Amino acid sequence: MESKYLFLFGGSPPFTYTLGKRFADLALSSKGKVAILFLEREGWERYMEKYTSELEGNGGHDSVYLSLSQE
């Protein structure tokens, strides 16, 4: 059976260096996908760097952003 992982984060930046490396290693080794769910608010694009910088530093460059409805 193939291993699957689900990481859920919220609030502050989620990744320390170690956790960012572990997450990227798991996702990239199995050609996994990274989806970032967020509430669309003013300035959200600038804030995403806090979530993606550790991933990108470990080779994870293809994140997908999915806006959640606030309704």
Side-chain angles (χ1 to χ4, degrees):
M1 180 174 192
E2 189 175 328
S3 296
K4 296 187 187 252
Y5 300 90
L6 174 64
F7 291 74
L8 301 172
F9 301 98
S12 297
F15 295 115
T16 61
Y17 171 80
T18 303
L19 185 55
K21 179 157 179 38
R22 176 76 172 137
F23 183 94
D25 287 347
L26 288 168
L28 297 174
S29 68
S30 62
K31 299 186 187 206
K33 302 197 185 303
V34 176
I36 299 175
L37 308 174
F38 68 99
L39 294 175
E40 193 168 339
R41 297 182 180 156
E42 186 176 331
W44 72 267
E45 295 95 341
R46 290 186 313 274
Y47 191 70
M48 286 301 123
E49 181 181 348
K50 294 180 180 184
Y51 283 86
T52 59
S53 61
E54 284 296 335
L55 295 178
E56 290 174 357
N58 286 292
H61 299 285
D62 294 324
S63 299
V64 175
Y65 302 106
L66 302 172
S67 176
L68 300 175
S69 172
Q70 293 188 35
E71 296 178 23

